[in-house]
Amino acid sequence: MKKDDCIFCKIANGEIPSTTLYEDEEFRVILDLGPASRGHALILPKEHYANLYEIEDDTAAKVMVLAKKMAKAMTKGLKADGFNLVQNNGETAGQTVFHFHLHLIPRYADEKKIIEWTPGTISKEEMEKIASQVKEQL
Ligand code: 5GP
Ligand code: ZN
C-alpha cells in the first residue's frame, strides 16, 4: 500500500525526483537531503510502512541484505573508513518522516563522531528485570 500524503512513498515510487543510488521492484536508495556525512543515504521500501513495528518480515530481511550490498559499494566507491546503520522509530527516537527508512552513513577517519552516548550503569537485579519484561512479550 502507498499512503497518499507520504513524501517517502512519492520519492520511493518516482513521483518526486531524487538522487537514486539503487532501485529495484521493492526498494529505492536515495541520497539524504540533510546528510550527516558524505554519501549519507536512505533505503526506502516502495510500500508504505510507518516504522519497524509495521514492516513485513520478508521486507525487513531484504532491507538488511540490501544494506550490506550498499555498504560495500559505498565504502569502496566513496573511500569510507567505516559505516553506521541507523533506524529511528517514533518521535522520541528521532524519527521525523513516518515511512520506514534505514540510514546508510559512511564514516571517515578524519570526521568527528556522529553517533555517541554516555555509557550508564546498571545492577544485576535491573538487568534481570529488563530481561523478564522483554521475554514475556516474545
Ligand atoms: P529520520 O529522522 O526520520 O530518521 O530521518 C529522516 C531523514 O530524511 C533525515 O535525515 C532528512 O534529512 C531526510 N529527508 C527528509 N525529507 C527528505 C526529502 O524530501 N528528500 C530526501 N532525500 N531526504 C529527506
Ligand atoms: Zn510512505
Side-chain angles (χ1 to χ4, degrees):
M1 282 263 293
K2 313 323 182 228
K3 193 163 176 278
D4 280 350
D5 58 350
C6 174
I7 186 160
F8 278 6
C9 277
K10 292 191 169 73
I11 292 174
N13 291 283
E15 289 166 44
I16 293 178
S18 61
T19 304
T20 294
L21 307 183
Y22 174 85
E23 183 184 6
D24 62 24
E25 275 195 4
E26 288 179 75
F27 300 101
R28 182 185 295 269
V29 182
I30 63 167
L31 285 183
D32 194 295
L33 273 186
S37 73
R38 184 167 186 272
H40 180 176
L42 304 169
I43 295 182
L44 310 180
K46 292 186 176 181
E47 293 296 315
H48 182 87
Y49 307 100
N51 50 40
L52 185 67
Y53 306 121
E54 286 191 2
I55 197 168
E56 299 285 347
D57 285 358
D58 73 319
T59 308
K62 286 177 190 167
V63 166
M64 194 49 76
V65 174
L66 179 53
K68 176 183 169 185
K69 179 190 178 91
M70 294 307 302
K72 287 171 95 172
M74 291 165 73
T75 299
K76 211 169 167 188
L78 301 173
K79 298 187 170 36
D81 302 299
F83 214 87
N84 290 124
L85 298 180
V86 175
Q87 204 276 310
N88 300 324
N89 297 283
E91 219 172 314
T92 305
Q95 187 175 10
T96 57
V97 180
F98 296 91
H99 173 123
F100 175 95
H101 50 282
L102 179 64
H103 294 261
L104 305 171
I105 307 178
R107 301 301 305 278
Y108 304 93
D110 56 354
E111 274 183 343
K112 65 172 174 37
K113 272 192 183 176
I114 295 173
I115 298 154
E116 57 183 325
W117 62 84
T118 308
T121 56
I122 189 165
S123 65
K124 182 74 185 140
E125 292 72 38
E126 185 60 8
M127 284 201 273
E128 293 299 339
K129 188 176 172 193
I130 292 167
S132 70
Q133 285 176 316
V134 175
K135 284 178 185 170
E136 70 189 21
Q137 300 300 327
L138 292 172

